[in-house]
Amino acid sequence: MADQVRTTPGEDRPISPNSEVSILNSIREFRKEAKDAKKHRMYVNQINKNAYLGKQDFSHKRKGQSREFLPKTPVAIEQLTAFIKRGLTQFGAWYDVELSPDSPSPLASHEIRSLLNCFLDNCYTSDYQKENLATILTDAIKVAALESLAIFKVHGFQKPERRFVAKKGNISVTGGEILQGEAVLETVTRNAWNLRVDLIRPEDYYPDPTGRNMYEIHESELDLSSVKRLASQGIYDKAAVDSIEEDYKKIEEDSRRPGDMQQDESQNPSFRRRVVITELWGTLLDENGDITHENIFCAMANDKYIIRAPQPNPFWHQKSPFVRFPLIRVPFSVWHKALFDHASQLNMALNEVFNLILDGGISSVWGIKQIRIDDLEDPRQATDGIAQGDTLAVKNTLPHGTKVLETVSEGEVPRDSMAVFEMVNREFMAAALTTELKLGSLPAKQVKATEIVELSQSQSLTIDSLVADVEGYMTELLEKIFLTVLQNLEVTPSEYIVNSVGLDGAFRLAQMDKATRFATFANFCSFKVHGLSSILSRVRDFQKMSSLLQMVTVNPILLQSFYKRYSGDRILSHMMKTLNVNPERIERDHEELARIDRDMQELPAFQNLTSQTGGAGGNAGNVSGPGTGGDEGAAEISALSNPTASLAGLGNSQ
């Protein structure tokens, strides 16, 4: 092997001059090791995905039996993802940019956030569709809940962008006079770097199963045209990619005969050639287990071409481009555990019980009948069965009082089926960390409010733990995104920078060379994600403040002392902010402040009017009367008093 000479582009070669291990074999062996370790995980993932998509094997059912699928899993998944997305990205600044005190950064924290937000709102996915990070995060939470790991790949690509320019031409007229003509629209194309945050399918990701992170392998399928474009940008070996194209031409010639044998060519159109790319990030070893290449990136195509030889990590941050996280952690595990591993199985059991109840109800109505064909005037009347309301013509020879059609068996709903259904349903909700209230329905039996609160509080402990873990991984994701953007800031669209930090900020960035700029931000800038934690913290602050005010208002001594020391205006502003309401948006303007005395004089009249209609004026302690938002307004405040009980509201109210 060591004496082989590489004569063809893309041909396999030893990982080092004197090694007997080749590059392709190393990638294949690592991939096989990782694939064997995740077989059971992939099997369970498929069950969870089927539960989410409403698929179940009903091959054991006979004709006429029910095949209904209860959407328990997808509804619970949507509730969870809506809660996390809304809490993380829809309440203003969901992360902080922290600069060291001695930072030489030319940008302030809010300018860095504006610059990063510009890329987060305009990043691309693996299918080259422009999305914002919140949408990608929603899909990632679904993948983590169903398939144990959410896997991101942070990198970038150059994309031709079209810009339109209007140029005015000149027209020569008689006498040598030149006049300005009508503007002409021209198109200018430029290559600009764009951020990509790919959500990787778990079946395409092969991590080191030992947990020591020696390698990470990502396998994807691309069109040959896309691979050639990447080769033109220097990412892959252009000569090796050309060899793949020549190989495709040979395959097409060899496949003409099978095409004449009625082979379905629509499954593999000749005009769209596909290439399977296998990338390895990490370390390569020789036959003795010694390191030959460390922190490298290499790639093979179609399992037999080296389209990128082992080269140092192309990212300046020198880390893997992958960020992965689970929702449910398992100690010492690489793949951990999916939240719906047990809930999906219970959803399948619920389907079976529900279909049994449904079949019993249908059978109790229709039953099984027998008919005497020989006594019918026309036997063809029973060809397609006897429908409800049909009239049968019988022969005159049929004795009076004798039935030509009679029921021999009647079905019934099993007596304990509803009890079993409710039991399995409760187990599903416990496994999915949800309740009937969160799923949008009322409990089947009367449940005390204290029982609901205790259940919600017990679930809040698990939700808080999930929230903390997600925020930690999101911090790592933001750091890799920012460092990748900094590395390619020179070739990013200039309007991104100007629109986010302004001309002055863009000028300050341009004065720094790219190496100094990267080192400055990488060493002195960090991120802290707090979107979900801040929501839960604000909810608890509102609950504590409400309890304090309630205690103060019922005790005259405390009320007098409280009024002397604390400002009612500031208390109201603070409580409004905990509810994510900006007090400045509803403050009086100068004209309204000028007539405040007149408005205060009219206030008693409005109070008397509301008291006559049974509103808040008649009962100062009733916040749910007419004119105050009714029961819905009280429900919002009540929901905010418990973070987990408000899960459903957080997912649907906006």
Side-chain angles (χ1 to χ4, degrees):
M1 177 73 71
D3 297 330
Q4 288 183 354
V5 179
R6 179 171 175 259
T7 58
T8 306
E11 188 179 9
D12 196 10
R13 72 187 80 168
I15 59 175
S16 63
N18 298 320
S19 176
E20 297 181 359
V21 179
S22 67
I23 298 175
L24 290 182
N25 284 337
S26 295
I27 300 176
R28 292 170 187 153
E29 290 298 321
F30 279 148
R31 182 182 59 184
K32 183 179 183 302
E33 177 190 28
K35 186 175 182 178
D36 291 341
K38 68 173 186 175
K39 283 182 178 180
H40 179 71
R41 181 67 257 170
M42 296 300 104
Y43 170 76
V44 178
N45 287 355
Q46 190 59 51
I47 296 176
N48 294 343
K49 288 190 291 184
N50 288 341
Y52 177 73
L53 298 175
K55 298 179 181 180
Q56 186 171 352
D57 182 14
F58 289 120
S59 59
H60 60 283
K61 297 281 188 179
R62 301 185 63 180
K63 183 180 180 181
Q65 291 183 330
S66 300
R67 294 174 171 84
E68 304 302 325
F69 196 102
L70 298 176
K72 295 286 188 178
T73 298
V75 172
I77 285 285
E78 295 301 328
Q79 290 286 346
L80 176 66
T81 55
F83 167 66
I84 293 181
K85 178 182 178 180
R86 183 170 184 253
L88 190 60
T89 61
Q90 296 183 5
F91 282 90
W94 53 279
Y95 67 91
D96 286 333
V97 180
E98 300 178 349
L99 291 173
S100 302
D102 55 344
S103 170
S105 170
L107 300 179
S109 297
H110 69 278
E111 292 177 315
I112 297 176
R113 182 187 295 108
S114 298
L115 176 62
L116 184 56
N117 284 341
C118 188
F119 287 92
L120 298 182
D121 294 336
N122 296 278
C123 60
Y124 286 79
T125 58
S126 56
D127 54 359
Y128 295 97
Q129 296 295 321
K130 182 180 289 188
E131 298 284 357
N132 57 58
L133 188 64
T135 302
I136 301 175
L137 177 63
T138 301
D139 294 338
I141 295 300
K142 293 179 181 179
V143 174
L146 294 171
E147 305 182 55
S148 76
L149 282 183
I151 308 162
F152 298 98
K153 184 180 181 182
V154 181
H155 57 131
F157 73 107
Q158 291 189 4
K159 177 178 176 293
E161 295 186 353
R162 186 182 299 119
R163 296 179 62 87
F164 299 99
V165 179
K167 292 186 177 181
K168 293 185 177 181
N170 298 327
I171 301 177
S172 299
V173 297
T174 57
E177 185 179 3
I178 299 178
L179 300 178
Q180 196 172 44
E182 184 179 357
V184 178
L185 183 64
E186 294 185 359
T187 303
V188 179
T189 304
R190 62 174 183 177
N191 283 329
W193 184 88
N194 290 270
L195 175 68
R196 270 185 62 176
V197 181
D198 298 342
L199 181 60
I200 306 300
R201 299 190 307 171
E203 54 263 37
D204 296 334
Y205 180 66
Y206 302 88
D208 182 1
T210 65
R212 292 190 285 271
N213 296 321
M214 177 174 289
Y215 61 86
E216 291 176 284
I217 296 177
H218 174 219
E219 197 164 76
S220 59
E221 184 182 86
L222 299 177
D223 291 331
L224 181 59
S225 58
S226 300
V227 179
K228 294 172 68 175
R229 186 186 303 116
L230 294 174
S232 65
Q233 299 174 7
I235 297 178
Y236 298 134
D237 186 352
K238 189 175 184 304
V241 173
D242 292 339
S243 299
I244 300 176
E245 185 175 18
E246 293 296 326
D247 190 34
Y248 264 107
K249 294 180 180 179
K250 182 177 182 301
I251 292 175
E252 289 176 0
E253 293 177 358
D254 295 340
S255 62
R256 288 178 182 175
R257 183 171 297 177
D260 296 336
M261 300 171 61
Q262 298 183 353
Q263 181 177 343
D264 191 0
E265 296 183 359
S266 63
Q267 296 182 1
N268 186 21
S270 59
F271 54 84
R272 188 170 188 180
R273 302 163 181 171
R274 297 177 181 177
V275 181
V276 178
I277 305 296
T278 305
E279 298 180 355
L280 182 142
W281 300 78
T283 301
L284 292 179
L285 307 175
D286 61 14
E287 62 274 12
N288 298 320
D290 297 328
I291 296 176
T292 58
H293 301 281
E294 190 172 10
N295 196 15
I296 56 93
F297 163 55
C298 61
M300 71 175 178
N302 289 347
D303 217 32
K304 63 178 182 178
Y305 292 100
I306 300 176
I307 59 175
R308 183 177 179 113
Q311 296 180 7
N313 192 327
F315 294 103
W316 288 3
H317 55 64
Q318 291 299 292
K319 299 178 183 178
S320 163
F322 301 99
V323 177
R324 62 189 184 192
F325 67 85
L327 290 181
I328 305 295
R329 294 186 57 85
V330 176
F332 316 113
S333 175
V334 173
W335 283 100
H336 300 281
K337 187 177 183 179
L339 178 61
F340 280 78
D341 280 352
H342 303 292
S344 298
Q345 301 280 4
L346 293 171
N347 197 165
M348 303 293 186
L350 278 172
N351 295 338
E352 295 289 354
V353 178
F354 178 78
N355 286 323
L356 176 65
I357 297 173
L358 198 59
D359 288 338
I362 295 174
S363 181
S364 64
V365 174
W366 296 105
I368 299 176
K369 303 178 180 63
Q370 68 178 9
I371 187 171
R372 299 174 181 177
I373 299 294
D374 295 338
D375 291 329
L376 292 176
E377 186 69 30
D378 184 4
R380 291 177 297 179
Q381 295 178 85
T383 301
D384 297 327
I386 307 301
Q388 187 75 12
D390 281 356
T391 300
L392 300 177
V394 299
K395 294 180 179 180
N396 294 330
T397 57
L398 182 68
H400 292 287
T402 303
K403 297 181 180 179
V404 70
L405 178 68
E406 59 181 337
T407 301
V408 297
S409 176
E410 293 183 357
E412 63 174 338
V413 178
R415 297 179 180 178
D416 297 331
S417 59
M418 292 303 301
V420 173
F421 183 87
E422 291 298 329
M423 178 192 67
V424 178
N425 190 38
R426 288 195 301 270
E427 294 299 328
F428 171 84
M429 291 186 293
L433 297 179
T434 186
T435 63
E436 291 172 313
L437 295 175
K438 295 174 190 174
L439 294 177
S441 61
L442 294 175
K445 62 177 183 178
Q446 291 185 353
V447 181
K448 296 181 180 179
T450 53
E451 295 179 5
I452 296 178
V453 171
E454 289 179 1
L455 176 61
S456 299
Q457 289 178 348
S458 64
Q459 291 180 347
S460 68
L461 298 176
T462 306
I463 295 294
D464 290 353
S465 176
L466 298 182
V467 164
D469 290 342
V470 170
E471 289 180 344
Y473 292 114
M474 288 301 298
T475 299
E476 180 185 358
L477 178 63
L478 287 181
E479 290 176 351
K480 286 191 177 180
I481 289 176
F482 185 57
L483 295 179
T484 305
V485 168
L486 286 176
Q487 180 180 346
N488 299 276
L489 202 61
E490 300 287 339
V491 289
T492 56
S494 57
E495 58 269 19
Y496 282 10
I497 304 175
V498 175
N499 293 339
S500 57
V501 300
L503 287 174
D504 181 59
F507 179 73
R508 279 179 274 143
L509 284 175
Q511 285 184 316
M512 304 175 67
D513 61 85
K514 55 184 181 181
T516 303
R517 182 173 57 231
F518 184 89
T520 298
F521 288 106
N523 295 330
F524 299 96
C525 179
S526 61
F527 298 88
K528 182 179 180 181
V529 177
H530 57 75
L532 290 167
S533 297
S534 64
I535 289 180
L536 301 179
S537 177
R538 289 201 301 266
V539 168
R540 296 189 184 98
D541 288 345
F542 181 84
Q543 183 182 15
K544 290 186 290 186
M545 186 63 69
S546 299
S547 301
L548 175 63
L549 292 178
Q550 184 178 7
M551 179 183 64
V552 168
T553 54
V554 298
N555 191 317
I557 299 177
L558 295 179
L559 179 61
Q560 181 182 12
S561 176
F562 189 86
Y563 182 74
K564 289 180 179 179
R565 297 183 58 184
Y566 302 105
S567 169
D569 294 338
R570 292 185 179 181
I571 293 173
L572 180 60
S573 297
H574 174 73
M575 297 189 68
M576 292 174 66
K577 290 178 180 179
T578 59
L579 296 176
N580 202 44
V581 177
N582 187 357
E584 297 179 357
R585 295 183 178 179
I586 57 178
E587 287 182 349
R588 289 175 175 264
D589 56 21
H590 295 288
E591 296 180 359
E592 293 172 326
L593 287 173
R595 63 173 189 266
I596 187 172
D597 293 335
R598 186 182 63 184
D599 293 343
M600 294 297 295
Q601 293 175 359
E602 297 176 354
L603 183 60
F606 285 105
Q607 290 178 336
N608 293 332
L609 180 63
T610 55
S611 64
Q612 293 174 3
T613 59
N619 185 3
N622 182 10
V623 297
S624 61
T628 61
D631 294 337
E632 294 181 359
E636 286 290 332
I637 301 299
S638 178
L640 284 171
S641 66
N642 189 287
T644 309
S646 61
L647 236 169
L650 287 173
N652 300 321
S653 61
Q654 280 194 351

